[in-house]
Amino acid sequence: QVQLVESGGGLVQAGGSLRLSCAASGRTFTSLSMAWFRHTPEKEREFVAAIDSSGNIMHYGVSVKGRWTISRASAKNVIYLQMTGLKPEDTAIYYCAAGGTADFGYHSWGQGTQVTVSS
C-alpha cells in the first residue's frame, strides 16, 4: 500500500494556471502507475490523467487533453499535474491515485485537494 498526499489546490481565475502535487510514501512508488481524478457534486468521478511507472506513457481525459500535463519525479516520490487554461468547469476536488492502469483499477487514493476556478 502507498500513502498519497495532494497539495497545490486553491482559487484561481479562469485562464490561470495551477500545479498540483502528490507526494507518495512507500517503497513501491516507482513501480506504480499514478493518476489524477476529479470529483464534483454534478458528475461521477472523472479521469483526468495518468502516467506509467516509467514516466514515458501518459493518458489524458478528453476535457483536459492539450491543456494539462502530468509528470513524475520518481527520485522525490512525487507526481505533478500542471494545469493551464483553467476553466470554471474545472472546479472540483482533485484526487491522486496509485496502482491502476490508464483510467481504471486504482487501489490507493489521497484525501483530495480543492481547485476552484472563478469566471
Side-chain angles (χ1 to χ4, degrees), residues 49-116:
I51 188 166
D52 77 333
S53 59
S54 71
N56 294 324
I57 299 174
M58 284 75 80
H59 302 272
Y60 292 96
V62 172
S63 59
V64 308
K65 194 170 186 178
R67 295 192 295 136
W68 299 359
T69 302
I70 188 171
S71 61
R72 68 190 297 159
S74 294
K76 298 180 182 179
N77 280 12
V78 178
I79 68 165
Y80 303 100
L81 183 67
Q82 180 66 51
M83 306 186 292
T84 59
L86 282 158
K87 306 174 182 179
E89 52 263 43
D90 294 319
T91 296
I93 300 174
Y94 286 74
Y95 295 89
C96 176
T101 302
D103 63 348
F104 70 95
Y106 291 87
H107 55 64
S108 297
W109 295 84
Q111 83 290 348
T113 186
Q114 176 72 48
V115 172
T116 303

Side-chain angles (χ1 to χ4, degrees), residues 13-61:
Q13 288 188 330
S17 300
L18 278 176
R19 189 177 78 161
L20 303 183
S21 300
C22 173
S25 61
R27 292 178 295 174
T28 60
F29 173 77
T30 56
S31 67
L32 297 175
S33 291
M34 304 289 293
W36 291 95
F37 290 79
R38 65 187 182 186
H39 185 268
T40 66
E42 296 78 27
K43 289 185 178 180
E44 296 279 331
R45 184 173 63 201
E46 181 184 6
F47 170 72
V48 174
I51 188 166
D52 77 333
S53 59
S54 71
N56 294 324
I57 299 174
M58 284 75 80
H59 302 272
Y60 292 96

